[in-house]
Amino acid sequence: MNILIVHAHPENQSFTTSLKNLADEVLNKKGYSVEISDLYEMNFNPVASKQDFQIVENPEYFNYALEQRNAVKKDSLSPDIKIEIDKVQRADLIIFTFPLYWTSVPAILKGWIDRVFVSGIFYGGKRFYNHGGMTGKKAMLCFTLGGREHMFGDQSVHGSIEQYISSIQRGSLAYTGFDVLPPFIAYHVPYISHEDRQKILTNFESYLENLENLKPLEFPKLENFDDKMNPLN
């Protein structure tokens, strides 16, 4: 299995980075091929702009998604984007490691998704959900946060964690066709003891050992298309 870890944390000594390093170690020992995109280490540019294209089809009115689709056809995406797309296309599974910021991913990771999940490859036209461009691949989230586990749930103060991360799991990953594995979540990380952190690492190791047996989350499937759909929508 080919695995891509996309890591977004600015501190090499962070617990999130420890989770990334453990994943790299465990998965390599299992014989998997592991690539890592460490976004802060790469100084990855998260800003979507005209500079993402070697040729801008319509310089008078810039539509990012349409320019992505034109660039895919003409192989004129910027080199840094093409490198990351190639990594995704090689991968059978993508693991995202990050701290949860304001119910979402850090800006650098959001920018990676904005620039790498290009229209014309990942989505676009009739290419979405179970017909998405990444159909047949898996993805999962591994993230840390400060909240306690009991603070999340349908009747809890924050609501369900699934609701918190729906925009990532459903709106980005499932939408582009990935089978989304259950997330690994490390709660209350800044405030727990070293021993409790070690327990989380042990649990994550067990989680990784069982990767191939994890059942993907279920999302409604799109069965039929309206032939009158605008292919540019």
Side-chain angles (χ1 to χ4, degrees):
M1 184 188 297
N2 296 322
I3 297 176
L4 171 63
I5 300 174
V6 182
H7 179 65
H9 200 293
E11 175 53 65
N12 287 331
Q13 300 179 79
S14 69
F15 187 71
T16 307
T17 300
S18 295
L19 291 168
K20 180 263 293 182
N21 291 341
L22 179 62
D24 186 26
E25 177 185 343
V26 171
L27 297 172
N28 271 295
K29 283 183 179 178
K30 288 177 68 67
Y32 299 146
S33 175
V34 181
E35 283 190 281
I36 298 175
S37 286
D38 187 332
L39 302 185
Y40 283 97
E41 185 178 77
M42 295 160 55
N43 195 27
F44 184 81
N45 174 18
V47 180
S49 71
K50 291 181 180 180
Q51 280 63 52
D52 291 348
F53 312 104
Q54 298 176 46
I55 302 169
V56 175
E57 288 289 314
N58 187 354
E60 295 182 4
Y61 187 89
F62 182 65
N63 183 306
Y64 192 73
L66 293 183
E67 292 293 345
Q68 283 182 326
R69 193 171 303 187
N70 289 327
V72 167
K73 292 176 181 177
K74 297 186 177 180
D75 192 25
S76 61
L77 288 164
S78 66
D80 63 329
I81 295 175
K82 288 198 285 187
I83 288 170
E84 297 304 300
I85 290 174
D86 287 345
K87 291 178 186 178
V88 174
Q89 291 180 323
R90 283 193 294 270
D92 302 299
L93 166 66
I94 303 180
I95 300 175
F96 296 89
T97 55
F98 60 93
L100 195 71
Y101 286 177
W102 292 108
T103 77
S104 189
V105 296
I108 197 168
L109 178 50
K110 178 58 166 63
W112 185 90
I113 294 171
D114 289 347
R115 298 182 68 222
V116 174
F117 283 20
V118 300
S119 180
I121 296 178
F122 287 74
Y123 75 99
K126 298 181 179 181
R127 191 187 289 109
F128 57 102
Y129 289 112
N130 50 302
H131 300 277
M134 297 298 108
T135 301
K137 297 181 182 293
K138 297 178 181 179
M140 61 162 281
L141 307 182
C142 169
F143 62 91
T144 60
L145 70 162
R148 295 177 182 270
E149 187 170 2
H150 70 77
M151 300 173 77
F152 295 88
D154 289 338
Q155 303 303 318
S156 299
V157 64
H158 292 316
S160 70
I161 192 67
E162 291 80 13
Q163 178 182 352
Y164 254 53
I165 59 178
S166 176
S167 64
I168 315 165
Q169 291 196 140
R170 186 170 186 166
S172 298
L173 300 178
Y175 182 80
T176 53
F178 287 101
D179 287 329
V180 183
L181 299 182
F184 184 87
I185 307 171
Y187 290 95
H188 208 47
V189 166
Y191 313 105
I192 59 178
S193 66
H194 174 74
E195 290 72 21
D196 285 336
R197 291 184 183 188
Q198 291 305 118
K199 290 178 184 177
I200 292 174
L201 291 174
T202 299
N203 291 339
F204 189 42
E205 183 171 0
S206 298
Y207 184 99
L208 293 168
E209 292 286 352
N210 193 47
L211 265 183
E212 294 187 15
N213 298 318
L214 293 176
K215 184 179 179 181
L217 303 176
E218 293 188 6
F219 297 99
K221 294 189 180 300
L222 185 65
E223 300 298 338
N224 299 304
F225 285 107
D226 179 352
D227 290 336
K228 296 181 180 180
M229 279 180 61
N230 183 345
L232 296 182
N233 283 346

